[in-house]
């Protein structure tokens, strides 16, 4: 352990960071000191400024920026959760706000902009929620012509051949300028597929080809997009149930559609009201050959809910392994983060109750689950190994006793079953960290992990860099913005 790094996080930047930060002990009384209407963790759920954030240099407040770290961390998340006294009913319904943290020559510059979707423009003009969503009723008189009228563009981002897209699972990808984050508009991959949903979790092969799903009820479209951003092919599949599909998995040879028993047969907004949890159906896995999508087989696993996979890989005998954050039931989707959005969350609401799990799918017979003792989500892998045999997955772990956020970054090693963890303590809410390969490196360990945290004591945002080979050694460096921005969902590195 590098004591200087830990001591920074324990005693810290700015006033008020208690020395108990790393253990999470004794922090709660400090939260009453701010005198604000909301608890300070609620910074993570407040609106972003309508005009966004113009490019602003962040300040290096800790450590030394590793040589060779160069690129942009893009992030996306809901950032309009309130109009007047009215809150969005579900975290999935806030308008998408895209961040770029451009890192070069040891400097980090933050920019942020709302995606100027139809929903965002109309609701900003009216200064109220109009559009029905995942959990939000909206205004029944609002004219809805198609899914993209409800497009919140708020879930993730992908860069394909230099073009940046904000993603939302119910509608099209939404293009923004990759430098300025100015909105370009809804992306249509082909005339046939105009307006078709495009999930927020596309999978990129190491050579740049992108696969994705679009889900409408029990119908799924499989997209195959070249590294140049051109639609190569698409296939329609019926998966037999209107299951909630947020993420999926891919090996170098197969796509795996995971049909969880969280079913919505009505499919009318607000969708959350008509989902049914049917554990008797189990978790069904549809395995599709990438070279011939007509070659398909099913496997059965015990009932679990999930939002996110890490990635899948395949052994020489055809056994498929994939890791995912699995839940006994779909808790977050059902309560929608409402208590967090309204500032009413208390520790009694609890946090994630996931089990980070490896699903093993044999070439015939039922799948089995290998469960770890890690409670976490937002799993990420080294993009050079996506779909290939690998051992490392980074995920966000650890419940805070004072905020609804996670406290820790953990790298799990499937070869050694070792969890390498850094605990920020209750002072920071930890978001998804991404693997960034070191220039010239060839192994998973030869990566950095780059991600954002919200420092709820200083009320400022930080971008943190770790060495993937030893996150428990603490951060390599931390940049800090002069301001906060709300919690997001997912990012990408380009
Ligand atoms: Fe997600």
């Amino acid at each position: 352990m590098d004591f200087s790094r830990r001591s920074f996080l324990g005693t810290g930047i700015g006033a008020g960071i208690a020395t108990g930060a790393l253990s999470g002990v004794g922090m709660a009384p400090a939260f009453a000191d701010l005198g604000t209407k909301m608890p300070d963790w609620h910074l993570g759920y407040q609106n972003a400024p309508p005009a966004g954030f113009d490019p602003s240099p962040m300040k290096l407040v800790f450590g030394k920026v590793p040589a060779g770290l160069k690129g942009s961390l893009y992030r996306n998340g809901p950032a309009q959760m309130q109009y007047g006294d009215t809150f969005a009913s579900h975290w999935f319904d806030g308008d998408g706000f895209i961040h770029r943290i451009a890192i070069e020559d040891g400097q980090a510059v933050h920019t942020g902009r709302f995606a100027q979707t139809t929903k965002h423009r109309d609701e900003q003009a009216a200064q109220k929620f109009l559009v029905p969503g995942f959990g939000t009723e909206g205004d029944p008189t609002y004219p809805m012509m198609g899914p993209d009228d409800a497009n919140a563009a708020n879930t993730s981002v992908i860069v394909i051949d230099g073009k940046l897209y904000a993603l939302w699972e119910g509608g099209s990808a939404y293009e923004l300028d990759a430098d300025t984050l100015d909105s370009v508009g809804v992306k249509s991959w082909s005339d046939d597929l105009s307006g078709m949903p495009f999930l927020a979790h596309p999978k990129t092969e190491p050579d740049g080809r992108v696969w994705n799903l679009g889900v409408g009820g029990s119908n799924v479209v499989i997209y195959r997009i070249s590294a140049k951003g051109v639609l190569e092919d698409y296939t329609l599949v019926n998966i037999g149930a209107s299951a909630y599909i947020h993420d999926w998995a891919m090996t170098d040879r197969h796509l795996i559609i995971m049909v969880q028993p969280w079913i919505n047969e009505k499919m009318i907004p607000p969708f959350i009201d008509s989902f049914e949890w049917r554990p008797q159906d189990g978790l069904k896995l549809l395995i599709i050959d990438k070279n011939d999508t007509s070659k398909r087989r099913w496997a059965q696993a015990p009932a679990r809910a999930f939002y996110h996979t890490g990635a899948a890989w395949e052994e020489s005998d055809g056994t498929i392994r994939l890791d995912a954050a699995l839940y006994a039931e779909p808790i977050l989707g059902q309560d929608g983060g409402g208590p967090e959005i309204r500032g009413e969350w208390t520790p009694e609401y609890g946090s994630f109750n996931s089990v980070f799990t490896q699903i093993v799918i044999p070439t015939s017979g039922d799948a089995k689950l290998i469960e770890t003792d890690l409670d976490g989500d937002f799993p990420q892998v080294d993009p050079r190994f996506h779909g290939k045999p690998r051992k490392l997955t980074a995920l966000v772990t650890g419940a805070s006793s004072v905020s609804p956020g996670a406290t820790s970054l953990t790298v799990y090693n499937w070869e050694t079953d070792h969890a390498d963890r850094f605990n920020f303590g209750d002072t920071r809410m930890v978001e998804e960290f991404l693997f960034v390969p070191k220039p010239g490196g060839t192994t998973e360990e030869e990566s950095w992990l780059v991600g954002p945290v919200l420092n709820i004591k200083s009320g400022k945002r930080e971008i943190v860099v770790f060495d993937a080979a030893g996150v428990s050694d603490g951060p390599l460096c931390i940049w800090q913005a002069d301001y906060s921005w709300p919690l997001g969902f997912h990012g990408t590195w380009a």
Side-chain angles (χ1 to χ4, degrees):
M1 183 184 77
D2 180 333
F3 182 76
S4 65
R5 292 178 201 162
R6 287 213 164 188
S7 61
F8 165 78
L9 288 158
T11 57
I13 38 184
I17 298 180
T19 50
L22 288 174
S23 62
V25 172
M27 296 301 294
F31 282 77
D33 294 341
L34 295 183
T36 53
K37 187 179 170 197
M38 292 291 189
D40 45 1
W41 57 259
H42 194 259
L43 274 176
Y45 301 88
Q46 291 177 8
N47 294 344
F53 297 103
D54 291 336
S56 306
M58 298 178 75
K59 187 175 168 191
L60 185 69
V61 292
F62 175 77
K64 190 167 176 285
V65 182
L69 178 62
K70 180 183 174 183
S72 288
L73 170 65
Y74 293 99
R75 294 267 310 162
N76 192 357
Q80 182 76 42
M81 306 309 297
Q82 187 175 0
Y83 283 106
D85 294 333
T86 306
F87 294 95
S89 306
H90 201 289
W91 203 21
F92 295 178
D93 292 336
D95 290 347
F97 191 93
I98 294 83
H99 303 267
R100 178 188 184 205
I101 296 98
I103 298 173
E104 187 170 8
D105 298 330
Q107 309 287 315
V109 177
H110 171 248
T111 309
R113 296 280 182 248
F114 275 104
Q116 297 295 320
T117 58
T118 303
K119 165 175 157 46
H120 181 69
R121 287 199 314 261
D122 286 357
E123 293 185 348
Q124 284 288 305
Q127 283 295 296
K128 62 179 184 178
F129 295 108
L130 298 171
V131 178
F134 198 77
T136 299
E137 207 158 328
D139 177 345
T141 66
Y142 183 78
M144 290 282 294
M145 306 301 287
D148 284 323
D149 287 341
N151 197 332
N154 67 2
T155 313
S156 188
V157 271
I158 188 170
V159 175
I160 307 175
D161 194 34
K163 291 190 170 173
L164 172 67
Y165 302 98
L167 305 176
W168 178 71
E169 64 199 12
S172 304
Y174 189 92
E175 188 179 349
L176 300 102
D177 185 287
D179 292 325
T180 64
L181 307 182
D182 290 342
S183 287
V184 175
V186 164
K187 170 69 178 179
S188 176
W189 301 102
S190 74
D191 291 345
D192 288 358
L193 297 176
S194 187
M196 291 281 268
F198 190 82
L199 285 194
H201 287 284
K203 309 294 173 196
T204 305
E205 294 178 344
D207 70 0
R209 175 177 282 150
V210 175
W211 295 78
N212 200 12
L213 311 180
V215 181
S218 61
N219 293 309
V220 174
V221 54
I222 299 170
Y223 297 85
R224 195 182 83 203
I225 296 165
S226 76
K228 288 288 178 193
V230 176
L231 182 76
E232 294 178 329
D233 195 12
Y234 70 91
T235 309
L236 295 169
V237 181
N238 189 289
I239 57 171
S242 300
Y244 181 62
I245 296 181
H246 176 79
D247 196 0
W248 56 289
M250 178 183 82
T251 73
D252 50 7
R253 292 171 51 204
H254 291 96
L255 314 175
I256 302 106
I257 302 178
M258 301 161 64
V259 183
Q260 61 185 321
W262 197 34
I263 306 297
N264 192 326
E265 287 177 346
K266 294 182 183 158
M267 290 308 287
I268 44 172
F271 299 108
I272 197 67
D273 293 345
S274 45
F275 272 102
E276 283 178 52
W277 178 240
R278 298 178 185 170
Q280 65 275 14
D281 293 351
L283 170 64
K284 295 183 167 72
L285 307 160
L286 177 58
I287 299 123
I288 301 173
D289 190 319
K290 287 162 81 172
N291 290 321
D292 178 354
T293 54
S294 69
K295 289 184 181 167
R296 304 168 193 169
R297 69 184 173 88
W298 285 92
Q300 180 79 37
R304 294 290 188 278
F306 81 103
Y307 298 96
H308 299 122
T309 64
W313 69 97
E314 200 154 336
E315 294 173 346
S316 52
D317 69 356
T319 301
I320 292 171
R321 295 174 184 270
L322 70 93
D323 53 10
L326 301 184
Y327 295 76
E329 54 188 65
I331 293 169
L332 178 65
Q334 284 169 345
D335 80 11
E340 290 90 336
I341 294 165
R342 295 187 297 273
E344 294 167 356
W345 179 92
T346 61
E348 292 73 51
Y349 280 102
S351 181
F352 291 137
N353 288 298
S354 65
V355 178
F356 182 55
T357 301
Q358 186 181 122
I359 304 174
V360 183
I361 311 169
T363 51
S364 63
D366 292 347
K368 68 172 185 180
L369 307 182
I370 301 173
E371 297 184 332
T372 72
D373 56 6
L374 275 180
D375 174 359
D377 209 318
F378 296 94
Q380 285 289 320
V381 307
D382 183 332
R384 294 169 298 185
F385 292 85
H386 197 135
K388 298 177 182 300
R390 64 174 171 86
K391 56 186 186 243
L392 301 184
T393 305
L395 67 164
V396 173
T397 59
S400 168
S401 59
V402 299
S403 86
T407 58
S408 304
L409 171 67
T410 298
V411 173
Y412 194 80
N413 185 321
W414 284 112
E415 274 183 16
T416 64
D417 292 328
H418 176 66
D420 185 35
R421 179 178 191 211
F422 183 79
N423 183 358
F424 286 88
D426 284 340
T427 57
R428 287 167 177 82
M429 296 168 81
V430 180
E431 300 188 271
E432 176 188 88
F433 274 69
L434 300 174
F435 277 86
V436 176
K438 293 182 182 177
T442 55
T443 69
E444 293 169 84
E445 289 87 347
E446 292 173 294
S447 296
W448 296 293
L449 285 161
V450 181
V453 299
L454 171 57
N455 183 328
I456 59 176
K457 296 308 294 176
S458 67
K460 292 176 178 177
R461 275 298 196 154
E462 293 165 351
I463 299 296
V464 185
V465 181
F466 289 89
D467 194 314
V471 296
S472 54
D473 291 341
L476 296 173
C477 70
I478 302 178
W479 288 280
Q480 191 180 70
D482 282 338
Y483 45 85
S484 178
W485 63 76
L487 297 171
F489 292 129
H490 300 289
T492 193
W493 177 265

